[in-house]
Amino acid sequence: MTDTPKAMPSETSSDDADPSPRSIQDLRGKFFVVPGYQRGYRWGKEEVKALLNDLRDFLDNPARDRSSYYCLQPLVVKRQENRPEVSWEVVDGQQRLTTLSLILQFLTSESPFQISYETREGSAEFLKAPNEKAAGRYIDYHFIWQAHIAVRDWLAGEKRDPRQFADDISNTVRIIWYALAKTEKSVDVFTRLNAGKIPLTDAELIRALFLRSGQSRRLEMALEWDFMERALQSDDFWYFLQPAGSDRPNRIEIIFDLVAKVGKNARDHATFEYFYSRLGPQVQALESQEDRVETLWKAVKQMFEILDEWYQDRGLYHLTGYLIAQCGSIEQLLNLLKDSNTKTKFKSKLVTAIRDAVVKDEAVDGAIRKLSYKELGKTRRTLLLFNIATLLAQSASNMRFSFHQFKAEDWDVEHVHSVASDPPDKQQDQVNWLHEMRVYLQPASEVQTQIDQQLDSPSWDIDGFERLYDLILSNFAEDQAEGADNGIGNLVLLDQRTNRGYKNVPFPVKRKKILALDNEGQFVPLCTRNAFLKTYSHTIDTPMRWGVADRNAYQSEMIRTLERFFDGKLP
């Protein structure tokens, strides 16, 4: 935000109810009371030095825009009505506010505002002149004194001019002011903010801006806000848009971030600053406050409607969902949308972007055939697209790829038929392995007979197990071409837990385990399931083996499906 808020009006002004970034000068003359339900001051030397270091780094950054400012976390306050003097109860933010007062007091021998701890008689005077003699009176005083020492030591090491540093802080630091309404209970708000350390979010600050600025549409905006928030509470919707582990206390903030065009590396509360710069009382504009609220709220709703359409439309869901899963950039898709005047053109641009990510300018046939286990990134992207294109090809189906479940796991590129196997090294594991393999062998076969002899032997024959292990694997390794096992025709997507749980076991064991997971409701990508069911194979006379013919058929179906996808022949 580049506009500097003008000085605050008198204490009795209704502008005190507006959430806004306030300068140190805006706090001048205010009297703050830290109520008894809060713990006392507890910041240690490290926290104080961290704040000073942040301020120094911000001020000394040569690339800093001189009109920018350093924004502290919100200060949540409530006007105290039953006191003779005008004062503000500090509901949240007292540690930062007290520390800022101590810094300014040390630098200039004067803090522009006063703080008093309700349960500590004389605390306002002690904050004005911390001293070691009185520091032992209360535990709060001890920490205040330690903070005072931390400021002194830090400044001595920096060799900065105290007065200049104080002026720099006054000119660049902003505190986001958030005043509770008369009807809000301070203790309830304090409990909510401190249970699990949930901070006051940009969404709450922006909500207050809209509802306090747009008086004529307050109820309507509140209902529309709740509708958007409820929609985003669906994990299927949220994780279609976001990577795993990216939850927020208020998911609706993603809409405001996109409207404000705030990137991932933006400073704290940059989104709020964007909306405040357009709705705050300092704005002098030709249009009325109501018109500004209406214009900005319309932009918010339109952004939600765009994302909601991507989620609801089956074709857009899979195309945008794939690109978001690969690059994580909704902004990139919004740029494509901006250049598209129809949904058909937008879908065409999405397909082009996907082609650039998967095969670029190559022919699909050649690009797919040369993929192998050695190119995990490209192979993983291609296998994911094969799953999505397969679903899109089923135009009569309502099935959708579950980005929510997909993002909840880490995925391996796994061999359908194992290239190499690690034999179990413990006797009991070896016994269990032989019992499991026996089920898949021809009854009364020579291999089964040798397994029975090994299991019935009174003493465990290690050498015998190793010979039997190689014999069993060779029984399943039918019709393998030299060097073919690492090709795309022998690779599928499989979650890490399943893949690394069974290691390199033969095809029929993998098949049984994967189909069991699918029957239990665990997410198995459609094409992975189809491969182990041998859906792509032309014959199923050997259902327990995965040979060259199976690999070729699987690879050919992948090429055919992706060629149709890139030719625009899928919905």
Side-chain angles (χ1 to χ4, degrees):
M1 177 177 173
T2 57
D3 294 331
T4 303
K6 64 182 180 182
M8 288 298 300
S10 67
E11 289 277 10
T12 57
S13 170
S14 62
D15 282 350
D16 275 324
D18 290 326
S20 62
R22 309 260 170 132
S23 69
I24 302 301
Q25 296 304 317
D26 293 334
L27 303 183
R28 182 168 293 280
K30 292 189 184 295
F31 188 79
F32 297 98
V33 177
V34 179
Y37 58 77
Q38 293 204 33
R39 71 172 184 165
Y41 183 75
R42 291 296 183 274
W43 267 24
K45 292 183 178 180
E46 293 306 313
E47 289 93 341
V48 175
K49 290 179 180 178
L51 175 59
L52 287 164
N53 288 337
D54 282 348
L55 290 169
R56 175 201 61 201
D57 294 344
F58 178 81
L59 292 168
D60 293 349
N61 183 359
R64 177 173 70 89
D65 181 349
R66 294 299 155 180
S67 63
S68 64
Y69 55 76
Y70 181 94
C71 196
L72 290 173
Q73 294 296 315
L75 176 67
V76 183
V77 295
K78 185 176 181 181
R79 176 75 172 271
Q80 291 194 316
E81 301 290 344
N82 300 322
R83 289 176 176 264
E85 73 279 12
V86 176
S87 60
W88 297 90
E89 176 185 348
V90 180
V91 180
D92 191 56
Q94 58 105 342
Q95 306 285 343
R96 294 182 296 276
L97 188 66
T98 300
T99 304
L100 192 57
S101 175
L102 286 168
I103 292 171
L104 294 169
Q105 184 74 40
F106 185 90
L107 294 173
T108 65
S109 301
E110 176 193 12
S111 174
F113 51 87
Q114 294 188 64
I115 304 174
S116 174
Y117 282 73
E118 189 175 48
T119 59
R120 297 292 183 253
E121 184 179 355
S123 55
E125 287 72 25
F126 182 74
L127 280 165
K128 290 179 182 178
N131 61 89
E132 188 172 11
K133 183 178 180 181
R137 185 176 181 186
Y138 301 117
I139 186 64
D140 310 273
Y141 286 12
H142 166 76
F143 280 98
I144 290 170
W145 172 246
Q146 292 300 312
H148 174 82
I149 297 300
V151 174
R152 182 196 68 189
D153 293 347
W154 183 90
L155 192 64
E158 288 291 313
K159 296 181 172 55
R160 302 180 81 97
D161 176 72
R163 175 58 66 177
Q164 182 60 52
F165 190 38
D167 289 344
D168 290 341
I169 291 175
S170 296
N171 292 328
T172 59
V173 171
R174 298 289 185 273
I175 295 175
I176 296 181
W177 176 275
Y178 187 89
L180 300 179
K182 291 181 181 180
T183 55
E184 293 182 90
K185 296 181 179 179
S186 302
V187 175
D188 291 346
V189 175
F190 171 79
T191 301
R192 197 274 295 172
L193 292 173
N194 286 273
K197 296 297 181 184
I198 302 172
L200 190 66
T201 64
D202 276 8
E204 292 168 300
L205 295 165
I206 293 168
R207 180 185 175 94
L209 268 180
F210 273 113
L211 297 185
R212 289 173 181 174
S213 301
Q215 294 291 329
S216 64
R217 291 195 57 214
R218 291 183 64 183
L219 179 58
E220 186 179 351
M221 283 193 295
L223 291 174
E224 290 169 342
W225 181 294
D226 290 343
F227 173 80
M228 290 186 285
E229 184 66 65
R230 283 199 307 273
L232 289 164
Q233 286 306 310
S234 164
D235 284 344
D236 283 340
F237 190 7
W238 178 250
Y239 289 111
F240 155 67
L241 298 169
Q242 294 289 283
S246 60
D247 208 356
R248 307 185 186 191
N250 294 91
R251 291 179 175 182
I252 198 172
E253 280 186 8
I254 188 177
I255 308 297
F256 302 122
D257 287 347
L258 291 170
V259 171
K261 297 182 180 179
V262 170
K264 295 178 181 179
N265 299 321
R267 64 182 184 272
D268 289 347
H269 299 294
T271 300
F272 168 70
E273 292 170 16
Y274 170 88
F275 282 89
Y276 180 75
S277 71
R278 287 153 177 79
L279 293 178
Q282 83 288 353
V283 178
Q284 300 296 324
L286 294 176
E287 58 182 347
S288 69
Q289 177 79 341
E290 289 287 325
D291 289 339
R292 280 186 278 125
V293 170
E294 183 63 31
T295 299
L296 207 50
W297 185 246
K298 183 179 180 181
V300 170
K301 289 199 301 178
Q302 286 177 336
M303 184 61 69
F304 171 79
E305 287 163 2
I306 288 170
L307 300 183
D308 189 51
E309 183 182 20
W310 293 357
Y311 178 69
Q312 300 296 341
D313 182 285
R314 187 169 179 265
L316 287 176
Y317 169 82
H318 286 99
L319 298 176
T320 58
Y322 176 83
L323 286 169
I324 292 171
Q326 292 305 303
C327 66
S329 174
I330 297 175
E331 293 81 2
Q332 175 189 346
L333 305 189
L334 290 172
N335 288 333
L336 294 178
L337 178 64
K338 185 178 179 181
D339 295 333
S340 307
N341 51 17
T342 66
K343 185 186 294 187
T344 300
K345 188 173 182 180
F346 180 47
K347 286 184 176 180
S348 177
K349 286 182 175 291
L350 293 173
V351 171
T352 300
I354 293 172
R355 183 180 188 113
D356 290 342
V358 178
V359 297
K360 299 190 183 320
D361 296 328
E362 293 185 76
V364 173
D365 182 282
I368 299 303
R369 290 185 185 279
K370 71 180 184 181
L371 286 175
S372 72
Y373 192 75
K374 296 178 181 179
E375 298 178 284
L376 286 178
K378 290 182 180 180
T379 301
R380 187 180 287 109
R381 287 195 297 271
T382 303
L383 291 173
L384 176 58
L385 181 59
F386 180 38
N387 277 271
I388 288 171
T390 298
L391 281 168
L392 281 173
Q394 301 170 354
S395 57
S397 171
N398 289 323
M399 284 184 62
R400 292 156 65 100
F401 187 82
S402 178
F403 290 104
H404 171 208
Q405 291 178 293
F406 181 77
K407 292 176 181 178
E409 300 283 354
D410 293 319
W411 293 86
D412 284 339
V413 173
E414 166 60 358
H415 295 87
V416 181
H417 175 85
S418 299
V419 174
S421 296
D422 299 319
D425 52 5
K426 296 180 180 178
Q427 180 177 329
Q428 188 57 54
D429 293 337
Q430 294 171 352
V431 170
N432 293 339
W433 190 84
L434 289 177
H435 277 296
E436 190 166 30
M437 294 301 104
R438 188 183 186 282
V439 187
Y440 299 100
L441 296 167
Q442 187 72 25
S445 65
E446 177 61 26
V447 181
Q448 253 198 8
T449 300
Q450 292 187 39
I451 289 176
D452 292 339
Q453 291 174 349
Q454 175 75 15
L455 293 173
D456 293 339
S457 175
S459 60
W460 191 251
D461 182 359
I462 292 292
D463 293 336
F465 170 77
E466 291 177 352
R467 288 192 299 272
L468 194 52
Y469 179 83
D470 292 337
L471 180 62
I472 291 170
L473 291 187
S474 67
N475 190 77
F476 293 112
E478 178 184 86
D479 199 23
Q480 295 188 54
E482 181 70 23
D485 276 343
N486 277 322
I488 189 72
N490 192 39
L491 301 173
V492 293
L493 288 177
L494 199 61
D495 69 279
Q496 285 186 2
R497 287 183 302 164
T498 301
N499 181 29
R500 299 176 187 188
Y502 64 46
K503 298 183 180 178
N504 292 319
V505 295
F507 172 77
V509 180
K510 293 183 181 182
R511 182 178 189 271
K512 178 182 177 182
K513 291 181 181 294
I514 289 168
L515 296 182
L517 291 173
D518 188 53
N519 289 334
E520 292 168 4
Q522 182 168 322
F523 178 66
V524 177
L526 176 62
C527 295
T528 299
R529 176 179 176 275
N530 287 347
F532 280 97
L533 283 174
K534 301 187 71 168
T535 302
Y536 307 111
S537 302
H538 301 302
T539 61
I540 53 171
D541 53 334
T542 55
M544 295 301 171
R545 295 180 182 178
W546 181 262
V548 170
D550 301 307
R551 295 197 295 274
N552 289 341
Y554 172 56
Q555 178 178 274
S556 295
E557 178 61 23
M558 192 181 305
I559 292 170
R560 187 186 72 85
T561 300
L562 294 184
E563 283 179 337
R564 293 187 67 220
F565 174 82
F566 289 127
D567 287 343
K569 296 178 180 178
L570 300 181

